[in-house]
């Protein structure tokens, strides 16, 4: 046991000595410091990096094996911190942390932008009919539901009925809001044709935004919203008279950030059964 620990320490030291640009590698930990805005920004950019979608099967196996060698203290000399961080990024982007199975490409966090952008464009198309409005809202919520399910917390399995219930609730809510607002805008006689067209362009935002605030079973929208809020939060700079309030607010923010960032980093996207940090 002592020999294994010594070997692992030596391997880690070797990696640190051969890479000066990257920080010392820590298995399962974020590469960038989470105490600053820039560090959190780089961390989330790492999670959604679409380049991991093009990783080959052979490269994935090499990355997994490299991390296993590091874990068991059998790392070959000359391996750099940069290589270890890259291997961990690839593994976390492709494999589910609980099941260790590959996540279907469109439902990975790294695929959220390239596969979600066409849906957003469809939501914002002008002069939509009732059928097209229903279709794009349904497609958007279906994609979100599949992403949430593919990145769920598999250590705490929940019945499929909860997922289906949350999915149906999200679809019905989004479609109802979008269609209802479109009907109201069309019946608004006070709007000029140009104003009516402009307002209709913004109909998808409340329909999608309302669902982002709804903590439905199996949904990670609330967690992602909290992460985005914490990402832009500024340090407390109030005078000492309110230092206790600042400290409590900062501690609560840090708990939220750890809860949400851990879910995204580990590929779970804040599963519906996750405990609330507050």
């Amino acid at each position: 046991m002592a020999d294994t620990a010594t070997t692992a320490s030596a391997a880690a030291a070797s990696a640190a000595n051969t890479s000066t640009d990257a920080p010392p590698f820590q298995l399962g930990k974020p590469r960038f410091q989470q105490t600053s805005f820039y560090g959190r920004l780089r961390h989330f950019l790492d999670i959604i990096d679409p380049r991991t979608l093009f990783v080959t099967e052979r490269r994935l196996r090499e990355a997994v094996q490299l991390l296993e060698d590091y874990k068991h203290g059998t790392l070959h000399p000359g391996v750099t911190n940069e290589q270890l961080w890259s291997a961990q990024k690839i593994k976390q982007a492709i494999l589910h942390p609980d099941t260790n199975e590959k996540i279907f490409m469109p439902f990975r966090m790294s695929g959220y932008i390239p596969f979600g952008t066409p849906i957003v464009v469809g939501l914002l198309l002008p002069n939509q009919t009732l059928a097209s409005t229903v279709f794009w809202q349904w497609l958007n919520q279906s994609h979100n539901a599949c992403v949430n399910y593919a990145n769920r917390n598999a250590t705490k399995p929940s019945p499929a009925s909860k997922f289906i219930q949350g999915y149906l609730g999200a679809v019905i809510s989004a479609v109802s809001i979008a269609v209802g607002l479109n009907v109201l805008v069309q019946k608004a006689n006070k709007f000029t044709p140009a104003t009516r067209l402009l307002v209709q362009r913004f109909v998808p935002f409340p329909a999608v935004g309302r669902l982002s605030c709804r903590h439905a079973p199996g949904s990670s929208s609330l967690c992602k919203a909290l992460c985005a809020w914490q990402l832009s939060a500024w340090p407390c700079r109030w005078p000492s008279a309110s230092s206790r309030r600042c400290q409590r607010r900062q501690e609560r923010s840090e708990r939220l950030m750890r809860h949400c960032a851990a879910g995204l980093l580990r590929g779970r996207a804040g599963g519906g059964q996750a405990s609330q940090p507050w």
Side-chain angles (χ1 to χ4, degrees), residues 14 37 41 55 73 101 130 181 194 200 214 227 239 246 252-253 266:
S14 174
F37 171 84
L41 176 63
V55 172
E101 297 177 352
L130 176 62
L181 289 177
Q200 283 181 325
R214 183 173 180 268
C227 285
C246 289
R252 184 171 181 268
S253 299
R266 295 166 62 192

Side-chain angles (χ1 to χ4, degrees), residues 7 10 12 38-39 51 53 101-102 117 128 173 206 232 243 245:
T7 306
Y38 185 60
R51 291 177 298 178
L53 296 172
E101 297 177 352
K102 291 181 68 175
T117 300
Q128 294 201 38
S173 299
S232 60
S243 59
R245 178 181 296 179

